[in-house]
Short mmCIF file of all heavy atoms in Angstrom, two decimals:
data_model
loop_
_atom_site.label_atom_id
_atom_site.label_comp_id
_atom_site.label_asym_id
_atom_site.label_seq_id
_atom_site.Cartn_x
_atom_site.Cartn_y
_atom_site.Cartn_z
N GLY Y 1 -10.95 -34.86 84.82
CA GLY Y 1 -12.34 -34.64 85.17
C GLY Y 1 -13.29 -35.74 84.79
O GLY Y 1 -14.48 -35.70 85.08
N THR Y 2 -12.77 -36.81 84.15
CA THR Y 2 -13.61 -37.94 83.75
C THR Y 2 -13.03 -39.22 84.39
O THR Y 2 -11.82 -39.32 84.60
CB THR Y 2 -13.65 -38.08 82.21
OG1 THR Y 2 -12.31 -38.23 81.72
CG2 THR Y 2 -14.32 -36.93 81.57
N PRO Y 3 -13.91 -40.21 84.65
CA PRO Y 3 -13.43 -41.42 85.30
C PRO Y 3 -12.47 -42.24 84.42
O PRO Y 3 -12.67 -42.34 83.21
CB PRO Y 3 -14.74 -42.22 85.55
CG PRO Y 3 -15.81 -41.22 85.48
CD PRO Y 3 -15.35 -40.19 84.49
N LEU Y 4 -11.46 -42.79 85.04
CA LEU Y 4 -10.48 -43.63 84.31
C LEU Y 4 -11.18 -44.83 83.63
O LEU Y 4 -10.82 -45.21 82.55
CB LEU Y 4 -9.38 -44.08 85.26
CG LEU Y 4 -8.34 -45.04 84.65
CD1 LEU Y 4 -7.68 -44.47 83.44
CD2 LEU Y 4 -7.31 -45.41 85.72
N LEU Y 5 -12.16 -45.39 84.35
CA LEU Y 5 -12.88 -46.54 83.79
C LEU Y 5 -13.54 -46.18 82.44
O LEU Y 5 -13.46 -46.97 81.48
CB LEU Y 5 -13.93 -47.04 84.81
CG LEU Y 5 -14.79 -48.24 84.33
CD1 LEU Y 5 -13.90 -49.42 84.00
CD2 LEU Y 5 -15.80 -48.59 85.40
N VAL Y 6 -14.15 -45.00 82.40
CA VAL Y 6 -14.79 -44.59 81.16
C VAL Y 6 -13.73 -44.38 80.07
O VAL Y 6 -13.93 -44.73 78.89
CB VAL Y 6 -15.59 -43.27 81.38
CG1 VAL Y 6 -16.11 -42.72 80.06
CG2 VAL Y 6 -16.72 -43.52 82.38
N GLN Y 7 -12.61 -43.80 80.44
CA GLN Y 7 -11.54 -43.59 79.48
C GLN Y 7 -11.02 -44.93 78.91
O GLN Y 7 -10.79 -45.04 77.71
CB GLN Y 7 -10.37 -42.83 80.13
CG GLN Y 7 -10.75 -41.43 80.59
CD GLN Y 7 -9.70 -40.84 81.51
OE1 GLN Y 7 -8.55 -41.28 81.56
NE2 GLN Y 7 -10.10 -39.81 82.28
N ILE Y 8 -10.88 -45.93 79.74
CA ILE Y 8 -10.44 -47.25 79.33
C ILE Y 8 -11.43 -47.85 78.32
O ILE Y 8 -11.03 -48.38 77.28
CB ILE Y 8 -10.27 -48.16 80.52
CG1 ILE Y 8 -9.05 -47.76 81.37
CG2 ILE Y 8 -10.09 -49.63 80.06
CD1 ILE Y 8 -8.90 -48.52 82.66
N LEU Y 9 -12.71 -47.73 78.62
CA LEU Y 9 -13.72 -48.29 77.71
C LEU Y 9 -13.76 -47.58 76.38
O LEU Y 9 -13.84 -48.21 75.32
CB LEU Y 9 -15.09 -48.23 78.41
CG LEU Y 9 -15.27 -49.09 79.66
CD1 LEU Y 9 -16.64 -48.78 80.33
CD2 LEU Y 9 -15.20 -50.58 79.30
N VAL Y 10 -13.70 -46.24 76.42
CA VAL Y 10 -13.72 -45.48 75.17
C VAL Y 10 -12.50 -45.79 74.30
O VAL Y 10 -12.62 -45.99 73.09
CB VAL Y 10 -13.79 -43.96 75.47
CG1 VAL Y 10 -13.58 -43.15 74.20
CG2 VAL Y 10 -15.15 -43.60 76.10
N ILE Y 11 -11.35 -45.84 74.95
CA ILE Y 11 -10.12 -46.11 74.19
C ILE Y 11 -10.09 -47.53 73.64
O ILE Y 11 -9.68 -47.77 72.51
CB ILE Y 11 -8.89 -45.84 75.09
CG1 ILE Y 11 -8.76 -44.35 75.35
CG2 ILE Y 11 -7.60 -46.37 74.46
CD1 ILE Y 11 -7.69 -43.94 76.33
N ASN Y 12 -10.56 -48.50 74.43
CA ASN Y 12 -10.53 -49.90 73.98
C ASN Y 12 -11.53 -50.17 72.86
O ASN Y 12 -11.19 -50.84 71.87
CB ASN Y 12 -10.81 -50.82 75.16
CG ASN Y 12 -10.74 -52.28 74.76
OD1 ASN Y 12 -9.69 -52.81 74.42
ND2 ASN Y 12 -11.86 -52.98 74.80
N PHE Y 13 -12.74 -49.65 73.01
CA PHE Y 13 -13.77 -49.95 72.01
C PHE Y 13 -13.94 -48.87 70.92
O PHE Y 13 -14.63 -49.12 69.94
CB PHE Y 13 -15.14 -50.16 72.72
CG PHE Y 13 -15.11 -51.37 73.66
CD1 PHE Y 13 -15.18 -51.15 75.05
CD2 PHE Y 13 -15.07 -52.63 73.17
CE1 PHE Y 13 -15.17 -52.24 75.90
CE2 PHE Y 13 -15.03 -53.73 74.03
CZ PHE Y 13 -15.10 -53.52 75.40
N GLY Y 14 -13.30 -47.72 71.15
CA GLY Y 14 -13.45 -46.67 70.15
C GLY Y 14 -12.16 -46.25 69.49
O GLY Y 14 -12.06 -46.29 68.26
N VAL Y 15 -11.17 -45.90 70.29
CA VAL Y 15 -9.91 -45.33 69.73
C VAL Y 15 -9.02 -46.43 69.12
O VAL Y 15 -8.58 -46.31 67.98
CB VAL Y 15 -9.15 -44.55 70.80
CG1 VAL Y 15 -7.81 -44.06 70.24
CG2 VAL Y 15 -9.97 -43.37 71.34
N VAL Y 16 -8.77 -47.45 69.89
CA VAL Y 16 -7.83 -48.50 69.43
C VAL Y 16 -8.32 -49.19 68.16
O VAL Y 16 -7.53 -49.43 67.23
CB VAL Y 16 -7.55 -49.54 70.54
CG1 VAL Y 16 -6.75 -50.75 70.02
CG2 VAL Y 16 -6.78 -48.86 71.71
N PRO Y 17 -9.62 -49.54 68.06
CA PRO Y 17 -10.08 -50.17 66.79
C PRO Y 17 -9.87 -49.26 65.58
O PRO Y 17 -9.65 -49.75 64.47
CB PRO Y 17 -11.57 -50.39 67.05
CG PRO Y 17 -11.67 -50.54 68.54
CD PRO Y 17 -10.67 -49.59 69.09
N LEU Y 18 -9.97 -47.93 65.76
CA LEU Y 18 -9.71 -47.01 64.66
C LEU Y 18 -8.26 -47.05 64.21
O LEU Y 18 -7.96 -46.85 63.05
CB LEU Y 18 -10.11 -45.57 65.05
CG LEU Y 18 -11.59 -45.27 65.24
CD1 LEU Y 18 -11.78 -43.85 65.72
CD2 LEU Y 18 -12.33 -45.50 63.92
N ILE Y 19 -7.38 -47.30 65.16
CA ILE Y 19 -5.95 -47.31 64.86
C ILE Y 19 -5.47 -48.68 64.36
O ILE Y 19 -4.77 -48.78 63.38
CB ILE Y 19 -5.14 -46.90 66.10
CG1 ILE Y 19 -5.52 -45.47 66.53
CG2 ILE Y 19 -3.64 -46.93 65.81
CD1 ILE Y 19 -4.91 -45.03 67.85
N LEU Y 20 -5.88 -49.73 65.10
CA LEU Y 20 -5.40 -51.07 64.80
C LEU Y 20 -6.35 -51.91 63.98
O LEU Y 20 -5.98 -52.98 63.48
CB LEU Y 20 -5.07 -51.81 66.12
CG LEU Y 20 -4.03 -51.17 67.02
CD1 LEU Y 20 -3.83 -52.02 68.28
CD2 LEU Y 20 -2.72 -50.92 66.33
N GLY Y 21 -7.61 -51.47 63.88
CA GLY Y 21 -8.58 -52.25 63.14
C GLY Y 21 -9.41 -53.16 64.02
O GLY Y 21 -10.45 -53.67 63.61
N ASN Y 22 -8.95 -53.36 65.25
CA ASN Y 22 -9.72 -54.16 66.24
C ASN Y 22 -9.25 -53.77 67.64
O ASN Y 22 -8.18 -53.19 67.82
CB ASN Y 22 -9.53 -55.69 65.98
CG ASN Y 22 -8.08 -56.08 66.13
OD1 ASN Y 22 -7.23 -55.75 65.27
ND2 ASN Y 22 -7.73 -56.77 67.21
N SER Y 23 -10.04 -54.13 68.63
CA SER Y 23 -9.66 -53.78 70.02
C SER Y 23 -8.52 -54.64 70.49
O SER Y 23 -8.38 -55.82 70.08
CB SER Y 23 -10.86 -53.97 70.93
OG SER Y 23 -11.31 -55.31 70.94
N ASN Y 24 -7.70 -54.09 71.35
CA ASN Y 24 -6.56 -54.79 71.94
C ASN Y 24 -6.45 -54.36 73.38
O ASN Y 24 -6.11 -53.18 73.64
CB ASN Y 24 -5.28 -54.49 71.17
CG ASN Y 24 -4.07 -55.27 71.68
OD1 ASN Y 24 -3.74 -55.23 72.85
ND2 ASN Y 24 -3.44 -56.03 70.76
N SER Y 25 -6.74 -55.25 74.32
CA SER Y 25 -6.85 -54.84 75.73
C SER Y 25 -5.51 -54.34 76.27
O SER Y 25 -5.50 -53.45 77.10
CB SER Y 25 -7.36 -56.05 76.55
OG SER Y 25 -6.46 -57.14 76.48
N ILE Y 26 -4.42 -54.94 75.86
CA ILE Y 26 -3.11 -54.54 76.36
C ILE Y 26 -2.74 -53.13 75.88
O ILE Y 26 -2.36 -52.26 76.66
CB ILE Y 26 -2.02 -55.53 75.98
CG1 ILE Y 26 -2.31 -56.90 76.64
CG2 ILE Y 26 -0.63 -55.03 76.35
CD1 ILE Y 26 -1.35 -58.00 76.24
N VAL Y 27 -2.90 -52.88 74.59
CA VAL Y 27 -2.61 -51.58 74.02
C VAL Y 27 -3.57 -50.53 74.64
O VAL Y 27 -3.14 -49.42 75.02
CB VAL Y 27 -2.77 -51.58 72.48
CG1 VAL Y 27 -2.66 -50.15 71.92
CG2 VAL Y 27 -1.72 -52.50 71.86
N ALA Y 28 -4.83 -50.86 74.74
CA ALA Y 28 -5.81 -49.95 75.27
C ALA Y 28 -5.53 -49.63 76.73
O ALA Y 28 -5.65 -48.47 77.16
CB ALA Y 28 -7.22 -50.51 75.11
N GLY Y 29 -5.17 -50.66 77.52
CA GLY Y 29 -4.88 -50.43 78.92
C GLY Y 29 -3.69 -49.52 79.11
O GLY Y 29 -3.75 -48.59 79.91
N ILE Y 30 -2.61 -49.78 78.39
CA ILE Y 30 -1.42 -48.93 78.51
C ILE Y 30 -1.72 -47.50 78.04
O ILE Y 30 -1.30 -46.53 78.69
CB ILE Y 30 -0.26 -49.54 77.70
CG1 ILE Y 30 0.22 -50.83 78.35
CG2 ILE Y 30 0.90 -48.55 77.56
CD1 ILE Y 30 1.28 -51.56 77.55
N LEU Y 31 -2.41 -47.37 76.91
CA LEU Y 31 -2.72 -46.05 76.38
C LEU Y 31 -3.61 -45.25 77.34
O LEU Y 31 -3.32 -44.09 77.61
CB LEU Y 31 -3.45 -46.21 75.05
CG LEU Y 31 -3.76 -44.92 74.30
CD1 LEU Y 31 -2.53 -44.09 74.03
CD2 LEU Y 31 -4.50 -45.22 72.97
N ALA Y 32 -4.62 -45.89 77.88
CA ALA Y 32 -5.54 -45.19 78.82
C ALA Y 32 -4.79 -44.78 80.09
O ALA Y 32 -4.93 -43.63 80.57
CB ALA Y 32 -6.73 -46.09 79.14
N LEU Y 33 -4.01 -45.68 80.66
CA LEU Y 33 -3.30 -45.36 81.87
C LEU Y 33 -2.25 -44.28 81.63
O LEU Y 33 -2.04 -43.39 82.49
CB LEU Y 33 -2.59 -46.59 82.42
CG LEU Y 33 -3.53 -47.68 82.99
CD1 LEU Y 33 -2.76 -48.98 83.29
CD2 LEU Y 33 -4.21 -47.19 84.27
N SER Y 34 -1.60 -44.31 80.48
CA SER Y 34 -0.58 -43.30 80.14
C SER Y 34 -1.19 -41.92 79.98
O SER Y 34 -0.68 -40.93 80.50
CB SER Y 34 0.16 -43.69 78.84
OG SER Y 34 0.82 -44.92 79.00
N LEU Y 35 -2.28 -41.84 79.21
CA LEU Y 35 -2.92 -40.56 78.98
C LEU Y 35 -3.50 -39.99 80.27
O LEU Y 35 -3.40 -38.79 80.53
CB LEU Y 35 -4.06 -40.72 77.96
CG LEU Y 35 -3.64 -41.10 76.53
CD1 LEU Y 35 -4.83 -41.34 75.66
CD2 LEU Y 35 -2.73 -40.05 75.93
N ASN Y 36 -4.10 -40.85 81.10
CA ASN Y 36 -4.66 -40.39 82.36
C ASN Y 36 -3.56 -39.89 83.30
O ASN Y 36 -3.70 -38.80 83.89
CB ASN Y 36 -5.45 -41.53 83.02
CG ASN Y 36 -6.10 -41.11 84.32
OD1 ASN Y 36 -5.50 -41.21 85.37
ND2 ASN Y 36 -7.32 -40.61 84.24
N SER Y 37 -2.50 -40.69 83.43
CA SER Y 37 -1.43 -40.28 84.35
C SER Y 37 -0.71 -39.01 83.88
O SER Y 37 -0.26 -38.20 84.69
CB SER Y 37 -0.42 -41.42 84.52
OG SER Y 37 0.26 -41.68 83.33
N SER Y 38 -0.58 -38.84 82.54
CA SER Y 38 0.09 -37.67 82.02
C SER Y 38 -0.56 -36.39 82.45
O SER Y 38 0.08 -35.34 82.64
CB SER Y 38 0.19 -37.75 80.47
OG SER Y 38 -1.10 -37.61 79.89
N ALA Y 39 -1.91 -36.40 82.60
CA ALA Y 39 -2.62 -35.19 83.00
C ALA Y 39 -2.26 -34.80 84.44
O ALA Y 39 -2.08 -33.63 84.75
CB ALA Y 39 -4.12 -35.42 82.88
N TYR Y 40 -2.09 -35.79 85.29
CA TYR Y 40 -1.70 -35.53 86.68
C TYR Y 40 -0.22 -35.16 86.78
O TYR Y 40 0.19 -34.27 87.53
CB TYR Y 40 -2.00 -36.72 87.58
CG TYR Y 40 -3.50 -36.97 87.77
CD1 TYR Y 40 -4.21 -37.80 86.88
CD2 TYR Y 40 -4.19 -36.37 88.79
CE1 TYR Y 40 -5.58 -38.02 87.03
CE2 TYR Y 40 -5.56 -36.56 88.96
CZ TYR Y 40 -6.23 -37.40 88.08
OH TYR Y 40 -7.58 -37.59 88.22
N ILE Y 41 0.61 -35.88 86.03
CA ILE Y 41 2.04 -35.62 86.02
C ILE Y 41 2.32 -34.22 85.47
O ILE Y 41 3.26 -33.53 85.90
CB ILE Y 41 2.78 -36.70 85.21
CG1 ILE Y 41 2.66 -38.03 85.97
CG2 ILE Y 41 4.26 -36.32 85.05
CD1 ILE Y 41 3.21 -39.21 85.18
N ALA Y 42 1.53 -33.79 84.47
CA ALA Y 42 1.70 -32.46 83.93
C ALA Y 42 1.56 -31.40 85.01
O ALA Y 42 2.35 -30.42 85.05
CB ALA Y 42 0.70 -32.20 82.80
N GLU Y 43 0.58 -31.56 85.86
CA GLU Y 43 0.40 -30.60 86.95
C GLU Y 43 1.55 -30.65 87.94
O GLU Y 43 1.95 -29.62 88.50
CB GLU Y 43 -0.92 -30.91 87.69
CG GLU Y 43 -2.18 -30.48 86.88
CD GLU Y 43 -2.19 -29.00 86.62
OE1 GLU Y 43 -2.48 -28.21 87.54
OE2 GLU Y 43 -1.88 -28.59 85.49
N ASN Y 44 2.10 -31.85 88.17
CA ASN Y 44 3.27 -31.98 89.05
C ASN Y 44 4.48 -31.25 88.46
O ASN Y 44 5.17 -30.53 89.17
CB ASN Y 44 3.60 -33.46 89.27
CG ASN Y 44 2.54 -34.19 90.04
OD1 ASN Y 44 1.79 -33.59 90.80
ND2 ASN Y 44 2.44 -35.49 89.84
N PHE Y 45 4.66 -31.44 87.16
CA PHE Y 45 5.79 -30.74 86.48
C PHE Y 45 5.58 -29.22 86.54
O PHE Y 45 6.52 -28.49 86.79
CB PHE Y 45 5.90 -31.18 85.04
CG PHE Y 45 6.86 -32.34 84.82
CD1 PHE Y 45 6.41 -33.57 84.40
CD2 PHE Y 45 8.21 -32.15 85.03
CE1 PHE Y 45 7.28 -34.62 84.21
CE2 PHE Y 45 9.09 -33.20 84.85
CZ PHE Y 45 8.64 -34.43 84.42
N ARG Y 46 4.37 -28.79 86.25
CA ARG Y 46 4.09 -27.34 86.24
C ARG Y 46 4.38 -26.73 87.58
O ARG Y 46 5.09 -25.69 87.67
CB ARG Y 46 2.64 -27.10 85.83
CG ARG Y 46 2.26 -25.62 85.76
CD ARG Y 46 0.77 -25.44 85.60
NE ARG Y 46 0.04 -26.03 86.71
CZ ARG Y 46 -0.07 -25.44 87.90
NH1 ARG Y 46 0.50 -24.26 88.14
NH2 ARG Y 46 -0.74 -26.06 88.86
#
């Protein structure tokens, strides 16, 4: 229900720095795409 672009920004500037201590575009990109796709794939599995 939320835009992927917003998720990428939040994860890169908010979540990843909390985990790694600083932003990392590669980690943030993979994490955001994985979390977003998992929501759609979950419905496919269900």
Side-chain angles (χ1 to χ4, degrees):
T2 56
L4 175 56
L5 178 58
V6 174
Q7 296 168 19
I8 290 174
L9 293 173
V10 170
I11 290 173
N12 183 66
F13 297 111
V15 177
V16 172
L18 289 176
I19 300 174
L20 301 181
N22 61 288
S23 61
N24 184 305
S25 61
I26 295 176
V27 173
I30 292 175
L31 183 57
L33 290 171
S34 299
L35 294 176
N36 181 270
S37 66
S38 69
Y40 291 90
I41 293 173
E43 286 298 284
N44 294 333
F45 267 114
R46 181 190 59 79

